[in-house]
């Protein structure tokens, strides 16, 4: 996880996929512990953030950080500023 957080902070990911809400929590917890929160926030803004599974709504915390858009099974792609259009 720490390696993934560092890579995200360095802008190495175009897409970030979460398989559960606990992974979202851990991503931010590790970013905070590593002192990488600002850089990870920028990494999320660069990447498209996706979620699979039943708790897709829990990716909302990432959506607040993602400027490139999010992708989830129920809603297609939602881009910042489009009012959640599908």
């Amino acid at each position: 996880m720490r390696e993934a957080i560092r890579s995200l902070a360095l802008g190495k990911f175009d897409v970030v996929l979460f398989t559960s809400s606990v992974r979202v929590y851990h991503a931010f917890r590790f970013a905070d512990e590593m002192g990488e929160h600002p850089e990870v926030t920028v990494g999320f803004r660069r990447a498209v953030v996706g979620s699979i599974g039943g708790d897709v709504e829990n990716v909302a915390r990432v959506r607040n950080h993602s400027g490139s858009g999010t992708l989830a099974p129920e809603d297609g792609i939602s881009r910042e500023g489009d009012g959640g259009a599908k």
Side-chain angles (χ1 to χ4, degrees), residues 19-46:
T19 57
S20 71
S21 61
V22 73
R23 290 292 185 187
V24 175
Y25 169 79
H26 285 151
F28 284 101
R29 191 186 87 201
F30 278 100
D32 288 340
E33 288 176 6
M34 296 169 62
E36 299 277 3
H37 193 102
E39 293 85 356
V40 166
T41 299
V42 171
F44 279 127
R45 287 189 179 132
R46 289 183 188 141

Side-chain angles (χ1 to χ4, degrees), residues 33-63:
E33 288 176 6
M34 296 169 62
E36 299 277 3
H37 193 102
E39 293 85 356
V40 166
T41 299
V42 171
F44 279 127
R45 287 189 179 132
R46 289 183 188 141
V48 172
V49 179
S51 176
I52 61 172
D55 37 350
V56 176
E57 68 276 1
N58 289 311
V59 89
R61 184 172 182 191
V62 174
R63 289 180 182 193

